[in-house]
Amino acid sequence: MALAKTADTQTLEEIQSFTGKYPKQLWFLFLSEMWERFAFYGMRGMLTIFMVEKLGLADDKANLQYGATQAFVYALAFIGGFFADKVLGFRKSIFWGGLLMIVGSFTLAFSPGDHSLFYIGISITIVGTGFFKPNISTMVGQLYKAGDARQDAGFGLFYSGINIGALFGGWLCITVADAYSWNLAFSLAGIGMSIGLGIFIFTKRTLGPIGLSPLVAKMTTGKIRMYDIMVYAGSLLVIPLILLLVRKSDYTDKFMYTIGPVALLYIIYEIFRCGGLNEKKRAGGIMFSVGLLIVVAVTLWANISPAVTLSLYTKLALDLVSIILVFVGVFLYFSSLQQKIVVALVFIIFSIFFWAFFEQAGGSLSLFARYNLHHEVLGLNINPNAINNSSNSLFVIIFSPFVGLLWLWLNKRKIEPNTVVKFGLGFLFVSLAFYIFYFTRFFADLQGMTSLNVFTLAYLVVTLGELCLSPISMSIMTKLSPKKLHGVMMGLLFLASAYGQYFAGIFGADMSVTTPNATLHDKLMAYTEGYKGLSVYALILGIALILLSPLLRKLMHEVH
């Protein structure tokens, strides 16, 4: 008599042939990610305030430090995705990353007032998050067959798990920090991460072959173990380097100007490796390459070389020429597979700007909420930082189903906007939201304190923008890229977030008042003026993306 087949022996085909709306494995990944997000967003909501109030940093320095810290968190996700794809597999990467995040969280719990211990804990957490973050979302994509219409719903559920964790972590940790102690608040993040990792360890057997090391079919067990140990040891050895980079903003700048071009060159290399080039139209490849070189040259000259100054109109003209060359080259020279990867890169680049605006939440908006907002919303006395840290997640949970139903309603009438237009709409909502943040200055009293109600309304509009963009960004990466590049492309998406965080810190620092005797009213006017500028930038980018949508849609081929 044949033995009954257990969940441990499920094949990939059996997992992907699930009945119903969601595979059972999705719920386990949902819970693991929920608790990891509890830890992550709990700490995110405390960092800038902690650095100002406990470490004594000025507002602008705290914004830059926050941006650098968050940038490294997401930049290491690209590297973590690479090692998961090539060596460890997703399961081992998640375990190792989660373990480091737990150690880092409890190190922070003992750090209040101790600068050295704080930065050590942050550095360990950064490396751990790099291994954990990109890989669990990639595993969600592998639960579905190519073209499965249920995949977007699966990512939607997974995304709600992120926000449930962020809601409770963002609210509870800052509340505990204010009411009890910073030690206990950081300890809560460590406890949450421990629960999430425990759930993953005890349910990973249901994933069948998903997430196993790619070396299993190529090497012996002993050799695989040797490669694993090398990666683990290397990640530990890199912690002192991250510590140095995080503490010195000049080193952060050099790192960010290095890893981006390197990542771009690598993905271009992978694009050309995919094959299918039109050898009869090599001129297209030359145009594509020249266009990219112009982009890199303009970026380096504008941001690194003090000897070279380019006028705004010159930069715009060069950017326009480069865009035309790149897209004409893509049309002429690339196969359909390669064209889809190029579109994924466009989404990634625009994501940088979106997160640079959105991530003011952990920097400038965190300090704005701390010092310039009344403690009353809808007649209730509430800590403004609890609103700042958790209202976005609450609104996502409430309105996500309605936005999903809206897309279905529009789809049935064949008027649903395509993915590119949805990205553009996300920017337009963010533009409106930051104009509302700016508008809070007109509700301020003479002391520079303004309305928490208007502030909360702005977060509602931010959320609508996020719901147009973020839930589909992870899904579209897996749809537009070949399976062998899923981890790298997801890592690139997180690298875009790294640059978004980096620029968010710079934007926040530029808004900050640095004079020692600045009043709350001075800070109010400075921050709100900065928010008006971000509103204008988001508006321009949203319009540009919508205008580009017909061209990008054609390059996406069968992907919707």
Side-chain angles (χ1 to χ4, degrees), residues 369-392:
R370 192 68 163 181
Y371 302 120
N372 290 106
L373 293 178
H374 291 296
H375 288 234
E376 183 177 306
V377 60
L378 299 178
L380 301 173
N381 189 290
I382 297 179
N383 183 341
N385 281 101
I387 294 291
N388 181 67
N389 295 349
S390 60
S391 61
N392 168 249

Side-chain angles (χ1 to χ4, degrees), residues 480-500:
L480 288 172
S481 58
K483 184 178 178 181
K484 69 176 183 178
L485 292 181
H486 279 182
V488 171
M489 294 305 290
M490 200 65 71
L492 274 178
L493 188 62
F494 286 117
L495 185 58
S497 296
Y499 275 90

Side-chain angles (χ1 to χ4, degrees), residues 502-547:
Y502 173 68
F503 290 123
I506 293 174
F507 292 159
D510 287 343
M511 297 177 206
S512 301
V513 178
T514 57
T515 53
N517 298 320
T519 65
L520 292 181
H521 188 268
D522 293 335
K523 293 185 177 184
L524 170 79
M525 300 305 287
Y527 276 123
T528 54
E529 189 65 27
Y531 299 146
K532 183 173 72 171
L534 295 185
S535 174
V536 174
Y537 297 147
L539 178 65
I540 293 171
L541 289 167
I543 292 172
L545 197 50
I546 291 172
L547 291 177

Side-chain angles (χ1 to χ4, degrees), residues 393-459:
S393 299
L394 177 63
F395 290 143
V396 167
I397 294 167
I398 293 172
F399 290 100
S400 181
F402 295 104
V403 172
L405 290 173
L406 174 63
W407 297 142
L408 290 174
W409 184 81
L410 293 173
N411 181 265
K412 289 180 180 179
R413 287 154 182 78
K414 302 188 183 302
I415 54 174
E416 180 187 6
N418 61 50
T419 300
V420 186
V421 173
K422 287 178 182 178
F423 264 62
L425 290 174
F427 278 98
L428 296 184
F429 276 114
V430 167
S431 173
L432 175 59
F434 273 92
Y435 193 81
I436 296 173
F437 283 131
Y438 159 74
F439 206 69
T440 57
R441 64 163 55 184
F442 300 109
F443 292 84
D445 57 25
L446 295 177
Q447 287 72 43
M449 301 294 290
T450 189
S451 170
L452 183 55
N453 288 306
V454 179
F455 182 86
T456 307
L457 174 63
Y459 259 112

Side-chain angles (χ1 to χ4, degrees), residues 316-387:
L316 290 175
L318 288 171
D319 287 340
L320 180 60
V321 170
S322 65
I323 290 170
I324 292 172
L325 289 173
V326 166
F327 279 109
V328 172
V330 168
F331 268 113
L332 292 177
Y333 196 55
F334 284 177
S335 67
S336 60
L337 174 60
Q338 292 163 323
Q339 288 175 352
K340 286 187 287 187
I341 300 174
V342 169
V343 176
L345 283 177
V346 172
F347 285 136
I348 287 169
I349 291 169
F350 271 87
S351 294
I352 293 173
F353 298 102
F354 182 87
W355 296 118
F357 305 143
F358 184 89
E359 284 300 329
Q360 294 304 309
S364 69
L365 285 170
S366 183
L367 295 176
F368 184 72
R370 192 68 163 181
Y371 302 120
N372 290 106
L373 293 178
H374 291 296
H375 288 234
E376 183 177 306
V377 60
L378 299 178
L380 301 173
N381 189 290
I382 297 179
N383 183 341
N385 281 101
I387 294 291

